[in-house]
């Protein structure tokens, strides 16, 4: 009897343990801590009966728009609950949802973000609208619905950059924007690796199961990805298992998806899929495949296969899917194509047909527009909170530029986040004191708070806002004493100050003394008179300095305007924060009496020097060089208005009598010409060469596309590409550069031919018409020199051949990359990367400019070359053996690492 009790207790204990274990698993599967699920337009929270997902109304995420229900005729049957309501936006061009998560998310967290739309004739107009959807400041997609009953779902994988995310709907004149639901899910940090400047847009996520199978999402999928059943029409069959599959990797595809698979109908068959892209231009794709063997193979059975994207290897195996364990294969590199096609083909030794359980396909999209300076964003949110509504202030304050907040002026720099420089809150019915958050707008130049009901003292923090040049506080109820520094700055001409309409506001502490009115009336004119005298003295002093320091010889063209200021002594203090002015004596001291010559520039000699403890290069104009003066002027004007990490930085200038010079950052590793010469070429690996080429290309791309109007360098060559202590390349010597005309006129812009023989565009030499493609040609010659290690003119027997002709001949005769690439690299490079670089360089030196790529395309191709090379250095992945024990493997695949034979 005792033994039976012990057995009963043991059985009961095991049952209880099993119950607790399964309950724990169930609770974990229901975990929605990383979920935000918004039913747009709903007025109540609820739990979806099918999925168990907890939806909330959108009132805490947006403060504009109207809540609507779809028409009753569309709301029935199995329609998901969250599609029954919408929020529409008849007012305002841009309306944004602000998403702050209640979990500990940081910059760099990966999110799945999904938006769904069903029109359902909610407005009784029976007109399906079309509008744009933005993720933050960048276009996500254009929303186009087929009809009133269709459901459109868009989904992206996005890496956070800011603490707060914004999803914005933008009206583009084709009907009122609306949204049905908005959902975000936090993904594993190691899944779906993408760059910060881009996102993945879902094309399809397919479960290999018959079409009768249902769609799977949460709770089957812990990330609530939606898996649609995919059915092939012929040539395949389906297999399945009821066994438990080990799915635990960073992607965690659900059991219900992985327990089915499609296989070819014969051992020699293939599993393939293809579709045309939506756009005319080539799109960029990332592919993820999830595989697990579902059948227990006999000893004489083998299932192994290769996977192709188009005609290239996605995975060159043979790959053997492990039994009841998930392997996720994904591409390291972007796959560009106008028609997407993948195929899975059995290897020669395979006795069983190829198979596939599930796959995901995404397009890669860049996010070129930077968000507003984060400190400015937080400041504007605090200002909005202080003063309440009245304006539709949603999303990013400055960007995109067409949708900046009402009342804001912003500065936009090519490679810096936009900054707020103007805030106009005039006539906005503001009350109370001036918000202290305004002090956080560090770049603010203009502040207009006029015609409101603001009261109290004018805050002292306005005095510390050094960028402020215009302040309008007129027609309010301010009282007390105006901060003295504001009065001083106004009197000195650094601040335009408007104060009328504030009867209780005093300019000095005399207002609080029991003085007579006549005494005040004497004091005010006296102060004004003293200020006037000071201003006159300052003006005379400025005139004296201008006449004392002749800026340049000659009269009609004797002044350079830089960033709104004149070169010359009187401007030095104003310019100091931007580009410093140095006297000739300072230059002499800086260069230790011009002791060390480090080069000869376009208009004179370059000397080494020190500015405090910082190494600098000083380029002095030769007094006898009339042409050099023009180049000096051109370079000075250009470098004071362009700023990029791959352009040499101008620190300051000397303009003292007959002494003219420019002070640059010092580039410790000299120029590229010296580095690719015989003496130092061993310092450069293939990866180094690609990185230097990419740096130089990015500098040119900025001149061509980041400057308005665009700038043509006209003298791209190795001696004008300098390298700093980290071997970062920067373009230099802009003496021959010139701004291009409007885009539609560029090909007709005629100019005297200038540049260096061998690097000059032959088409430019013939037509004397300059455009950006002339720089592309010169860059192509530089790239060929970096690839081959050869001089610009190559000796072939008794003749000299231009390097482009030499490479072209080798391609047509031997076709062996090793005969072209610098032999001193000793084959230490990825062949595919080398071929891609060679083909790019040869396209750059095409005889006609129309056949050359743009610098933007060059930059893109060089990045791809570099990715291929880096992937080659880091390894191409891991292939598990058939009998090897492992729980789950995620394999990164370089689809460019192998090419079909016969290039």
């Amino acid at each position: 009897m005792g033994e039976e009790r012990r057995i009963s207790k043991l059985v009961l204990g095991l049952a209880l343990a099993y119950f607790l274990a399964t309950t724990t698993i169930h609770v974990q599967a229901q975990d929605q801590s990383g979920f935000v699920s918004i039913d747009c337009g709903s007025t109540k929270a609820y739990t979806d009966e099918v999925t168990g997902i907890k939806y909330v109304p959108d009132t805490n995420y947006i403060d504009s728009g109207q809540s609507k229900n779809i028409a009753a005729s569309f709301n029935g049957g199995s329609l998901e609950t969250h599609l029954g309501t919408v929020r529409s936006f008849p007012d305002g061009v841009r309306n944004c949802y602000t998403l702050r998560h209640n979990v500990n998310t940081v910059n760099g967290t990966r999110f799945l973000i999904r938006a769904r739309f069903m029109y359902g004739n909610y407005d009784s107009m029976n007109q399906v609208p079309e509008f744009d959807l933005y993720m933050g400041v960048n276009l996500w997609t254009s929303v186009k619905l087929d009809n009133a009953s269709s459901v459109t779902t868009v989904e992206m994988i996005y890496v956070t950059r800011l603490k707060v995310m914004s999803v914005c709907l933008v009206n583009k004149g084709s009907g009122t924007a609306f949204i049905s639901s908005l959902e975000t899910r936090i993904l594993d940090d190691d899944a779906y690796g993408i760059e910060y400047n881009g996102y993945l847009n879902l094309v399809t996520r397919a479960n290999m199961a018959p079409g009768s199978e249902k769609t799977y999402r949460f709770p089957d999928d812990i990330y609530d990805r939606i898996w649609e059943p995919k059915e092939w029409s012929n040539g395949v069959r389906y297999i399945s298992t009821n066994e438990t599959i080990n799915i635990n990797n960073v992607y965690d595809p659900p059991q219900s998806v992985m327990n089915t698979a499609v296989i070819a109908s014969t051992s020699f068959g293939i599993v393939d899929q293809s579709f045309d892209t939506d756009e005319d231009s080539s799109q960029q794709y990332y592919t993820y495949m999830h595989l697990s063997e579902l059948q227990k193979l006999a000893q004489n059975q083998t299932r192994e296969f290769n996977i192709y994207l188009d005609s290239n290897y996605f995975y060159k195996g043979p790959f053997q899917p492990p039994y009841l364990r998930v392997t996720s294969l994904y591409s390291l590199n972007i796959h560009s194509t106008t028609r997407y096609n993948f195929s899975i083909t059995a290897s020669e030794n395979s006795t069983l047909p190829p198979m596939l359980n599930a796959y995901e396909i995404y397009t890669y999209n860049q996010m070129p527009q930077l968000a507003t300076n984060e400190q400015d964003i937080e400041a504007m949110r605090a200002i909005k909170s202080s003063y309440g509504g009245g304006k539709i202030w949603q999303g990013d304050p400055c960007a995109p530029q067409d949708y900046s907040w009402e009342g804001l002026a912003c500065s936009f720099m090519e490679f810096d986040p936009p900054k707020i420089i103007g805030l106009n809150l005039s006539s906005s019915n503001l009350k109370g004191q001036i918000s202290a958050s305004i002090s956080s707008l560090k770049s603010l130049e203009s502040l207009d708070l006029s015609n409101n009901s603001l009261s109290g003292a004018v805050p002292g923090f306005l005095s510390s806002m050094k960028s402020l040049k215009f302040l309008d506080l007129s027609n309010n109820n301010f009282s007390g004493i105006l901060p003295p520094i504001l009065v001083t700055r106004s009197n000195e001409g650094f601040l335009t100050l408007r104060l009328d309409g504030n009867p209780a506001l005093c300019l000095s502490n005399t207002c609080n003394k029991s003085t007579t009115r006549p005494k005040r009336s004497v004091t005010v004119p006296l102060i004004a008179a003293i200020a006037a005298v000071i201003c006159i003295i300052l003006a005379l002093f400025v005139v004296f300095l201008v006449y004392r320091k002749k800026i340049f010889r000659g009269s009609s063209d004797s002044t350079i305007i830089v960033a709104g200021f004149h070169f010359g002594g009187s401007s030095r203090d104003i310019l100091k924060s931007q580009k410093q002015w140095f006297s000739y004596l300072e230059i002499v001291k800086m260069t230790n009496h011009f002791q060390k010559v480090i080069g000869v520039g376009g208009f004179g000699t370059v000397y080494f020097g020190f500015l405090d403890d910082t190494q600098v290069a000083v380029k002095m104009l030769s007094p006898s060089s009339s042409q050099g003066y023009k180049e000096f002027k051109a370079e000075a004007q250009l470098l004071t208005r362009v700023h990029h990490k791959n352009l040499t930085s101008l620190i300051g200038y000397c303009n003292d009598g007959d002494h003219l010079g420019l002070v640059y950052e010092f580039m410790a590793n000299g120029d590229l010409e010296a580095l690719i010469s015989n003496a130092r070429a061993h310092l450069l690996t293939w990866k180094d060469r690609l990185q230097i080429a990419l740096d130089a290309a990015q500098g040119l791309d900025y001149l061509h596309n980041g400057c308005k109007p665009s700038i043509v360098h006209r003298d791209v060559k190795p001696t004008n590409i300098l390298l700093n202590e980290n071997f970062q390349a920067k373009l230099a010597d802009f003496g021959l550069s010139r701004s291009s005309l409007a885009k539609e006129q560029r090909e007709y812009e005629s100019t005297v031919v200038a540049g260096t023989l061998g690097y000059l565009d032959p088409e430019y030499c013939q037509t004397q018409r300059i455009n950006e493609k002339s720089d592309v040609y010169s860059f192509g010659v530089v790239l060929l020199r970096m690839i081959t290690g050869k001089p610009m003119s190559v000796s072939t027997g008794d003749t000299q051949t231009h390097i482009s002709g030499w490479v072209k001949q080798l391609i047509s005769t031997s076709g062996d990359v090793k005969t072209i690439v610098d032999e001193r690299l000793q084959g230490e490079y990825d062949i595919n990367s080398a071929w891609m670089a060679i083909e790019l360089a040869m396209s750059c030196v095409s005889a006609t400019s129309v056949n050359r790529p743009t610098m933007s395309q060059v930059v893109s191709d060089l990045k791809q070359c570099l990715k291929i090379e880096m992937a080659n250095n880091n390894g191409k992945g891991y292939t598990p053996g058939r009998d090897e024990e492992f729980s789950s493997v995620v394999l990164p695949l370089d689809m460019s690492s192998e090419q079909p034979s016969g290039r």
Side-chain angles (χ1 to χ4, degrees), residues 563-696:
F565 302 106
H566 291 267
F567 275 63
S570 62
S571 300
R572 179 175 178 182
D573 290 339
I574 297 174
L575 278 168
K576 190 164 186 177
S577 63
Q578 301 176 32
K579 299 289 180 280
Q580 298 186 54
W581 176 84
F582 299 103
S583 69
Y584 182 67
L585 290 177
E586 288 174 303
I587 294 293
V588 171
K589 181 180 178 181
M590 193 183 300
T591 60
N592 195 17
H593 297 275
F594 306 103
Q595 183 181 45
K596 183 177 181 181
V597 176
I598 57 176
V600 179
F603 56 74
T605 307
V606 185
Y607 302 91
F608 175 79
F610 277 93
L611 177 59
D612 297 326
D613 295 326
T614 303
Q615 298 179 91
V616 294
V618 181
K619 186 189 291 187
M620 297 300 295
L621 172 65
S622 172
S624 61
S625 174
S626 59
Q627 176 62 29
Y629 160 70
K630 294 180 180 179
E631 294 180 22
F632 172 91
K633 176 181 176 181
E635 188 157 12
Q637 287 178 320
L638 185 143
L639 286 178
T640 50
R641 76 179 182 91
V642 300
H643 307 277
H644 187 269
K645 65 180 180 178
N646 297 122
L647 303 181
T648 50
S649 296
L650 179 66
I651 296 173
Y653 62 93
C654 172
N655 175 28
D656 195 349
D658 293 330
H659 303 292
L660 301 174
L662 297 175
V663 181
Y664 302 89
E665 65 176 322
F666 177 70
M667 304 297 283
N669 279 302
D671 61 56
L672 181 61
E673 178 67 41
L675 204 59
I676 59 175
S677 65
N678 290 335
R680 302 184 68 194
H682 68 281
L683 296 176
L684 291 179
T685 65
W686 177 249
K687 176 179 172 291
D688 293 334
R689 299 181 194 216
L690 291 177
Q691 185 61 62
I692 290 171
L694 176 59
D695 287 343

Side-chain angles (χ1 to χ4, degrees), residues 361-393:
I361 301 173
Y362 299 85
T363 57
Y364 174 74
N365 301 270
Q366 289 191 330
M367 307 186 88
Q369 174 64 61
L370 294 175
T372 298
N373 175 276
E374 191 166 4
Q375 184 177 358
D376 286 3
I377 292 177
E378 292 302 320
M380 288 308 303
R381 289 200 175 109
I383 293 168
K384 177 183 177 181
S385 177
S386 298
Y387 292 138
K391 300 179 185 292
I392 299 180
W393 277 0

Side-chain angles (χ1 to χ4, degrees), residues 393-564:
W393 277 0
Q394 296 178 357
D396 188 276
C398 291
Q401 193 166 357
D402 291 342
Y403 308 125
S404 296
W405 286 6
E406 179 187 354
L408 289 192
C410 302
S411 67
F412 290 85
M413 300 293 289
E414 183 70 17
F415 295 97
D416 294 323
K419 295 180 180 179
I420 297 171
I421 59 174
L423 175 58
N424 185 351
L425 293 175
S426 177
S427 304
S428 297
N429 195 31
L430 306 184
K431 299 178 182 179
Q433 296 183 332
I434 296 178
S435 172
S437 300
I438 291 176
S439 64
S440 297
L441 300 173
K442 300 301 183 183
S443 301
L444 195 67
E445 298 176 6
S446 173
L447 176 60
D448 189 347
L449 298 174
S450 62
N451 303 309
N452 285 295
S453 299
L454 294 168
S455 58
V458 175
F461 66 72
L462 293 174
S463 302
S464 63
M465 298 179 68
K466 297 180 179 180
S467 297
L468 200 61
K469 300 174 183 176
F470 176 87
L471 176 61
D472 191 346
L473 303 177
S474 60
N475 300 315
N476 279 283
N477 298 315
F478 291 114
S479 59
I481 303 170
L482 190 70
I485 296 178
L486 292 179
V487 177
T488 301
R489 291 181 62 195
S490 177
N491 289 337
E492 293 177 349
F494 293 108
L495 175 67
T496 299
L497 186 59
R498 295 179 181 173
L499 302 170
D500 53 295
N502 291 281
L505 183 64
C506 300
L507 297 183
S508 70
N509 58 10
T510 57
C511 296
N512 295 332
K513 295 181 180 180
S514 57
T515 55
T516 62
R517 182 176 182 84
K519 193 171 287 187
R520 285 202 306 270
S521 64
V522 170
T523 303
V524 173
L526 180 59
I527 293 174
I530 293 172
V533 170
I534 292 173
C535 289
I536 292 171
I537 293 172
L538 288 173
L540 290 173
F541 182 66
V542 169
V543 171
F544 167 74
L545 288 177
V546 170
Y547 279 95
R548 175 178 170 271
K549 293 182 181 287
K550 291 295 182 180
I551 296 171
F552 290 104
R553 295 179 299 275
S555 56
S556 61
D557 190 23
S558 62
T559 303
I560 298 177
I561 303 296
V562 180

